[in-house]
Amino acid sequence: MKLLIVLTAALGVPALALAMYLFQPWRLVTTQTVNEAPPTVASAPAARPQEPASATPQPIEELASGTFVSHEHATTGTARLLRLPDGSRVLRVENLKTSDGPDLRVWLSDQPVTKSWVNFDDGRHLELGHLKGNRGNANYAVPADADIGTLTSVTIWCRRFSVSFGAAALTTP
């Protein structure tokens, strides 16, 4: 009996430590809130003497938007793909509400959004970075060479377990 207890402890403690590291169960009840301001139109640069000053700054253009649907975890909010006056693009995630999780990433994907998440790692995707917070509003820079014509959805992807927490189909206005 004593040997059984020693063996159980010798095997059980490392197994429990590994499971805690991999699954991080406390993240299911933690919240990371972020509240980044929307990107703004920078003031127009001073015109060179030979160029007339621009009368009005160019507005921010919404290229596409979509509403998140839940996959492995309840997920709500919206995603907006914006073009700034300087030509750069930003993915803005607004009013996001999802579970916290280990190693969450924001992906632009070429996969359609359905009730199932299993297709998201089958196609092409572009990682925009770590999810900044599982609650709130955040901006993610989209690289200039990203083909947004083919990357038509956004997913909150858990890289550790290869699952989508939620996704939004990006449709043009």
Side-chain angles (χ1 to χ4, degrees), residues 18-97:
L18 179 63
M20 295 294 283
Y21 169 76
L22 289 175
F23 291 99
Q24 298 178 1
W26 59 89
R27 303 232 30 199
L28 292 173
V29 294
T30 59
T31 298
Q32 298 288 337
T33 301
V34 63
N35 196 16
E36 292 183 345
T40 58
V41 177
S43 57
R48 295 185 195 136
Q50 67 272 24
E51 296 178 10
S54 176
T56 58
Q58 296 296 313
I60 293 174
E61 178 185 4
E62 183 173 291
L63 301 174
S65 64
T67 302
F68 279 96
V69 297
S70 299
H71 284 154
E72 277 300 298
H73 293 266
T75 301
T76 59
T78 57
R80 297 172 58 216
L81 185 59
L82 307 172
R83 182 183 352 252
L84 305 182
D86 65 2
S88 64
R89 297 170 298 186
V90 172
L91 176 71
R92 173 135 176 100
V93 176
E94 297 177 321
N95 302 312
L96 180 67
K97 191 172 185 181

Side-chain angles (χ1 to χ4, degrees), residues 12 14 18 50 54 56 60-61 68 97-98 101-102 104 112-113 118 131 138 140 142 146-147 155-156 161 169:
L18 179 63
Q50 67 272 24
S54 176
T56 58
I60 293 174
E61 178 185 4
F68 279 96
K97 191 172 185 181
T98 191
L104 294 180
V113 176
V118 298
L131 184 68
Y140 299 89
V142 177
D147 182 4
T155 182
I156 307 301
F161 294 106

Side-chain angles (χ1 to χ4, degrees), residues 63 81 83 87-91 107-109 124-128 140-152:
L63 301 174
L81 185 59
R83 182 183 352 252
S88 64
R89 297 170 298 186
V90 172
L91 176 71
W107 283 6
L108 286 176
S109 172
R124 255 182 4 95
H125 70 271
L126 174 65
E127 185 176 305
L128 301 181
Y140 299 89
V142 177
D145 62 348
D147 182 4
I148 59 170
T150 60
L151 299 171
T152 57

Side-chain angles (χ1 to χ4, degrees), residues 107-173:
W107 283 6
L108 286 176
S109 172
D110 66 351
Q111 294 299 295
V113 176
T114 64
K115 291 181 180 183
S116 174
W117 55 263
V118 298
N119 60 316
F120 277 101
D121 58 352
D122 293 342
R124 255 182 4 95
H125 70 271
L126 174 65
E127 185 176 305
L128 301 181
H130 287 275
L131 184 68
K132 295 176 181 179
N134 63 312
R135 300 276 192 277
N137 309 298
N139 303 310
Y140 299 89
V142 177
D145 62 348
D147 182 4
I148 59 170
T150 60
L151 299 171
T152 57
S153 61
V154 178
T155 182
I156 307 301
W157 187 258
C158 178
R159 193 161 76 172
R160 177 156 305 154
F161 294 106
S162 296
V163 298
S164 171
F165 275 35
L170 294 173
T171 57
T172 56

